[in-house]
Amino acid sequence: WQVDIFFQRKSRGLVYLGGRVQAFWQLRFLTLVTDCRDVVLKTRSRSTAEAFLRKMKSNPLDAQWRITVADDDAMDAFKGCQLVHTLTTSRELILLAKHLDLSQDVHISAVGADSPGKCKLRSCILKCADIIACDSLVQTIERGEGQFCNQMQRASIVEIGTLLAKSDKIPPYQTDKLRWTIFDSIGIALQDVCIAKALCQLLEQETNSPKN
C-alpha cells in the first residue's frame, strides 16, 4: 500500500532484494498496487534465487511476473527500475546510490526483520530522499534505517500515520521534478493486532453464514 501512496506513476521495473518467505508474499500482494510485472531479483545465493523462482512458478496466480535474476556483477540491471523492495536480514549494505538511476523517480520500501546494527541502505541514498517515512519513528531510529541518519535527516523522518492524516506533507507530483521516496517498514504490534482482528471477523462471518 505504501507504493500506492508514494509512487503513482507507471514503473518500468521492480528491484527485489531477498528471496525468502516474506519476499514471496510481498510480491504477490504488489499485484494489487502496481501494474509493473518486470522484476530484477537479487539474493545472497543462487540457490535462494532458484528456489524463489520455483515457488513463483508453482502457482498460476504468480505466472504474470517476469523475473530476471541479477548476477553479483550485474547491478546495472537495477538502473531501469523505479520501485525497490529490500526484504533481507542482511547486516551488510546491499543497495548503493550508484545501483539506481538518479534521473528518474524512485520509491524504496525497506522491509524485513530489523534489529540494532542492521542496515540495508547506504546513507547517500537516505540523503537523496525527498520523503523518508516509517511506521514507528522510535523504532526506525533504534533498529531501522534511522540508525544511520544524522540529526537533520532524523528530524525529517515522518510516520506514515502523520502523512495520511496531513496530506499536505506529501507534495503533489510535478512532471518536471524528480522525487525519491523511502518507506522504512519496521513492523509494530498494532499491525499484528489489526490483522488478527480482521481474521477473527472473517472467521466469525464464515461461522455464522448459512450453509447450503
Side-chain angles (χ1 to χ4, degrees), residues 36-106:
C36 176
R37 295 295 181 267
D38 293 301
V39 178
V40 179
L41 174 68
K42 178 69 174 69
T43 60
R44 282 182 282 180
S45 70
R46 185 73 188 188
S47 61
T48 300
E50 291 173 351
F52 184 85
L53 291 175
R54 288 195 299 271
K55 191 172 184 65
M56 293 300 295
K57 291 177 180 179
S58 67
N59 194 316
L61 292 174
D62 306 312
Q64 58 194 297
W65 291 102
R66 297 178 291 273
I67 304 175
T68 301
V69 178
D71 296 328
D72 289 340
D73 57 351
M75 302 294 266
D76 282 347
F78 292 176
K79 291 188 175 180
C81 301
Q82 294 169 284
L83 298 177
V84 180
H85 273 243
T86 68
L87 301 110
T88 77
T89 57
S90 175
R91 287 182 173 271
E92 300 177 1
L93 292 164
I94 56 176
L95 190 64
L96 311 180
K98 68 179 182 180
H99 296 147
L100 303 173
D101 187 348
L102 298 177
S103 66
Q104 61 182 359
D105 289 346
V106 174

Side-chain angles (χ1 to χ4, degrees), residues 1-2 22 26 86-89 108-121 126 132-149 157-160 182-192:
W1 53 269
Q2 69 266 22
Q22 188 174 17
Q26 282 278 327
T86 68
L87 301 110
T88 77
T89 57
I108 301 172
S109 296
V111 187
D114 286 299
S115 60
K118 180 177 179 288
C119 62
K120 299 178 280 288
L121 308 178
L126 298 170
I132 303 178
C134 65
D135 40 16
S136 169
L137 183 57
V138 171
Q139 289 187 201
T140 194
I141 292 174
E142 178 186 272
R143 58 184 59 236
E145 300 306 314
Q147 296 176 86
F148 309 99
C149 291
I157 301 174
V158 58
E159 291 187 345
I160 189 68
I182 296 173
F183 180 73
D184 189 19
S185 177
I186 307 298
I188 56 177
L190 181 60
Q191 294 167 345
D192 296 331

